[in-house]
Amino acid sequence: LTAYLIGRWGGHPAWGLLYIAWVGTWFVIRLDLSELLCFALTLGAVTAYDRRRIWPTAALLVLATLAKELGLVFAAGLALHALVTERRRRDALLIGLAPLLTFAGWLLILRAWLGRFPFGYPATRLHLPFVGLLTVEDPAARLLVGLWLGLPTALLAGLTLWQIARTRRLSPSAALL
């Protein structure tokens, strides 16, 4: 799906192989399959969105969000693109609210079942991006991890902002970033 989308948006599909070669993918395969499932479902949702199939897009984003709450971020990005660039308010509402309301409903079900919200368990806490940097105590390790994570993130964010300023358009990839 990554190669397909890259080819569809004007790049060479072989660049999609970088996702497989990236070290983060290997860590995810080894340690956290729910995140990999979230990304796979999100890629399916982006593909459906690219083909203007809004109901499958919303359904895949709901599943991605139930796999990992990070799906809400991707749903917000696609909803933003539908609203700002495509000017499709109804589609933006469906894409943004379906995952959010489903996730909120699931939290309420867990609250009724467990007697409280499930945020007290380490495996079920909502995780903020890069919060792991705060737990690294060695300054050299913190610098290395910060460069490993922060440099690519800053580079992608900078390129995205440059693309938006240059084209005056919010592309789907920029909305997702």
Side-chain angles (χ1 to χ4, degrees):
L1 289 173
T2 303
Y4 169 79
L5 288 169
I6 289 172
R8 182 107 163 103
W9 293 342
H12 194 282
W15 285 105
L17 296 175
L18 285 178
Y19 182 72
I20 296 169
W22 182 54
V23 69
T25 302
W26 292 99
F27 280 113
V28 166
I29 290 171
R30 174 81 170 99
L31 301 173
D32 189 5
L33 288 176
S34 63
E35 188 167 314
L36 191 60
L37 178 62
C38 175
F39 287 157
L41 291 165
T42 299
L43 282 170
V46 173
T47 303
Y49 179 80
D50 187 57
R51 293 178 175 193
R52 296 199 181 268
R53 309 225 350 128
I54 299 306
W55 285 97
T57 300
L60 287 166
L61 287 170
V62 163
L63 293 173
T65 299
L66 291 175
K68 190 154 182 85
E69 68 276 359
L70 184 61
L72 290 171
V73 175
F74 297 117
L78 284 181
L80 180 68
H81 182 268
L83 183 65
V84 172
T85 303
E86 302 289 326
R87 306 234 190 279
R88 299 183 316 199
R89 290 186 186 136
R90 192 174 308 168
D91 293 348
L93 278 172
L94 179 64
I95 291 169
L97 287 180
L100 181 64
L101 294 176
T102 304
F103 186 69
W106 179 241
L107 286 178
L108 291 174
I109 290 170
L110 289 176
R111 167 83 165 84
W113 181 21
L114 301 173
R116 62 185 177 98
F117 286 109
F119 301 128
Y121 306 105
T124 59
R125 287 195 185 121
L126 293 174
H127 298 284
L128 299 174
F130 304 118
V131 78
L133 288 175
L134 302 175
T135 62
V136 177
E137 294 182 16
D138 181 27
R142 184 178 290 178
L143 175 68
L144 183 62
V145 171
L147 288 174
W148 182 259
L149 295 174
L151 196 58
T153 302
L155 180 65
L156 282 174
L159 287 172
T160 300
L161 291 173
W162 178 71
Q163 177 197 22
I164 292 169
R166 187 174 57 90
T167 63
R168 299 282 184 228
R169 186 172 181 277
L170 182 67
S171 68
S173 58
L176 290 168
L177 282 172

